[in-house]
């Protein structure tokens, strides 16, 4: 199949492109490179530098490449930035997303997989969240993900779009070739590993949560498992009736910040410098996905769910790319 991947030069997109190519698909990547990297686009995929907000550019690409389905990873995804600059998030994630949908509608492409987020739930009442939980985002980033999911529902009803929104929890790990390189980096595991490599010591934000060891518990999913879920979701859009299917992507259980730090120390083979700081506003004690729906609907369960696999692969990638993608 011929697939367009928006954001295919980013962390999640790069590994998903790799998975799509391995599965025999032909891939075009559309990316502004605003947070992505040219070197993160797998050989074999074609990179077009441009924005998904440009409906005429996208429509031209869909036609000229004969695109049959879209994996939509391209977005702004920094919570703090979204609070400081909500307009950017509404413009890129909502208005830009709708421009993409208009291009699909114009050309008659009716299959899309969307990188949504657990941020749509906000700070849920129960620790284990299923897809029926109330959507109450607590920042513009989560709100824009929720809004775009809404657009997908209405494009399904009105225009026959078949879409799957995958609500990722915390993505971690690396493939052999592609890993996580964000600037700034806000995710725990790369920041712990940066501390191990002589960078800024990581700050543990709060040790007085009502959890077994006092630190927050989060659900982590290996980026290659996520790539597998993208493939399964793409297949689902072939058979599904028009509309939006929504699946959490998580492991169904979680790891605390101390557990992550300990596993990272084992992977690195040395103590990792860290500091204990205050809680971050809005962080719930426990946030874990139920993943029954992904299992039932996509036939997907995580296969690389241990901290050893996730942190070990991230550390190996970091050692092979000490400057991230900056070197090339
Ligand atoms: N990484 C996670 O833990 C996580 C968790 C939940 C959801 N997500 C979602 O997954 C997706 C990918 O996340 P990521 O961590 O790989 O982020 P990333 O920043 O590494 O990748 C995003 C990519 O999109 C590109 N991009 C941004 N705006 C664009 C535009 N207008 N047109 C074309 N390309 C554009 C960027 O250059 C980048 O390559 C995002 O939608 C994010 O919200 C990620």
């Amino acid at each position: 199949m011929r697939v367009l991947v928006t954001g295919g030069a980013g962390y999640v997109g790069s590994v998903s492109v790799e998975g799509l190519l391995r599965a025999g698909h032909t891939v075009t990547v559309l990316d502004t490179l605003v947070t992505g990297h040219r070197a993160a686009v797998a050989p074999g995929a074609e990179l077009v530098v441009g924005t998904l907000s440009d409906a005429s550019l996208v429509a031209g690409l869909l036609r000229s490449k004969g695109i049959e389905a879209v994996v939509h990873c391209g977005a702004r995804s920094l919570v703090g930035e979204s609070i400081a600059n909500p307009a950017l998030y509404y413009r890129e994630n909502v208005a830009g997303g709708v421009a993409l949908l208009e291009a699909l509608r114009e050309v008659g492409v009716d299959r899309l997989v969307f990188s949504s987020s657990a941020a749509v739930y906000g700070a849920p009442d129960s620790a284990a969240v299923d897809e029926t939980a109330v959507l109450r985002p607590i920042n513009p980033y989560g709100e824009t993900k929720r809004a775009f999911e809404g657009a997908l529902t209405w494009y399904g009803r009105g225009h026959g779009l078949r879409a799957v929104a995958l609500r990722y929890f915390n993505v971690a790990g690396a493939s052999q070739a592609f890993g996580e390189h964000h600037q700034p980096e806000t995710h725990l595991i790369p920041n712990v590993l940066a501390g191990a490599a002589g960078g800024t010591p990581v700050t543990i934000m709060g040790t007085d949560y009502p959890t077994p060891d006092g630190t927050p518990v989060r659900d982590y999913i290996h980026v290659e498992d996520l790539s597998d879920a993208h493939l399964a979701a793409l297949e689902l859009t072939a058979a599904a009736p028009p509309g939006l299917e929504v699946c959490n992507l998580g492991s169904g259980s979680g790891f605390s910040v101390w557990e992550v730090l300990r596993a990272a120390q084992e992977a690195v083979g040395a103590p990792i410098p860290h500091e204990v700081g205050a809680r971050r506003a809005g962080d719930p004690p426990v946030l874990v996905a139920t993943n029954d729906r992904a299992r039932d609907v996509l036939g997907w369960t995580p296969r690389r769910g241990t901290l050893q696999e996730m942190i070990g692969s991230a550390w190996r990638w970091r050692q092979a790319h000490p400057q991230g993608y900056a070197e090339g």
Side-chain angles (χ1 to χ4, degrees):
M1 189 166 39
R2 292 178 296 276
V3 183
L4 177 71
V5 181
T6 73
Y11 168 47
V12 165
S14 61
V15 178
S16 286
V17 167
E18 213 180 13
L20 285 162
L21 291 170
R22 203 178 299 122
H25 300 296
T26 302
V27 180
T28 304
V29 168
L30 176 63
D31 200 300
T32 53
L33 303 179
V34 63
T35 56
H37 311 270
R38 197 176 283 276
V41 178
E46 181 185 351
L47 170 65
V48 175
V49 179
T51 178
L52 61 93
S53 305
D54 183 343
S56 62
L57 167 75
V58 177
L61 266 182
L62 298 177
R63 284 199 184 94
S64 64
K65 308 291 178 195
I67 300 294
E68 296 156 278
V70 174
V71 176
H72 177 30
C73 303
R76 302 290 185 136
S77 56
L78 292 172
V79 167
E81 182 183 58
S82 79
I83 293 168
N85 189 359
L88 176 68
Y89 279 68
Y90 279 89
R91 220 167 27 235
E92 295 273 310
N93 295 0
V94 183
V98 171
L100 172 73
L101 295 184
E102 280 298 284
L104 293 180
R105 182 169 75 86
E106 184 189 320
V107 178
V109 175
D110 65 355
R111 298 170 61 184
L112 181 136
V113 175
F114 172 51
S115 298
S116 191
S117 167
V120 297
Y121 297 117
D125 299 327
S126 68
V129 189
D130 72 26
E131 292 81 354
T132 64
V134 183
L135 304 186
R136 267 188 317 229
I138 53 169
N139 50 60
Y141 167 61
E143 182 60 47
T144 60
K145 290 290 182 186
R146 179 175 77 154
F148 189 70
E149 285 192 8
L152 292 176
T153 299
W154 293 110
Y155 270 75
R157 295 202 193 155
H159 302 308
L161 184 71
R162 300 155 209 278
V164 181
L166 300 173
R167 293 176 180 160
Y168 314 157
F169 280 60
N170 298 276
V171 189
S175 70
Q176 199 180 337
F178 301 110
E180 188 164 15
H181 177 188
H182 291 129
Q183 194 55 259
E185 183 56 76
T186 56
H187 296 139
L188 177 65
I189 291 173
N191 279 333
V192 167
L193 296 179
T200 314
V202 69
T203 302
I204 311 298
M205 293 188 226
T207 54
D208 58 351
Y209 284 89
T211 57
D213 68 15
T215 59
V217 172
R218 293 292 179 270
D219 191 332
Y220 294 88
I221 170 180
H222 195 294
V223 67
E224 289 191 300
D225 280 333
L226 202 154
S227 166
D228 292 346
H230 281 173
L231 288 173
L234 262 186
E235 271 173 39
L236 184 69
T237 59
L244 177 65
E245 181 60 65
V246 175
C247 294
N248 286 343
L249 289 189
S251 68
S253 60
F255 299 108
S256 75
V257 177
W258 284 138
E259 286 175 314
V260 168
L261 185 75
R262 268 200 305 276
Q265 295 186 144
E266 276 166 31
V268 166
I272 296 180
H274 58 277
E275 296 164 354
V276 172
R279 287 186 183 199
R280 189 169 55 181
D283 266 347
V286 180
L287 188 54
V288 171
T290 65
N291 60 10
D292 301 355
R293 187 150 191 86
R295 189 194 57 221
D296 295 346
V297 173
L298 303 176
W300 174 92
T301 46
R303 291 190 297 131
R304 309 156 179 95
T306 65
L307 279 179
Q308 286 70 24
E309 286 165 293
M310 289 186 269
I311 297 178
S313 62
W315 181 241
R316 283 190 293 279
W317 189 80
R318 201 193 153 89
Q319 285 183 303
H321 305 83
Q323 308 300 320
Y325 291 109
E327 72 268 26

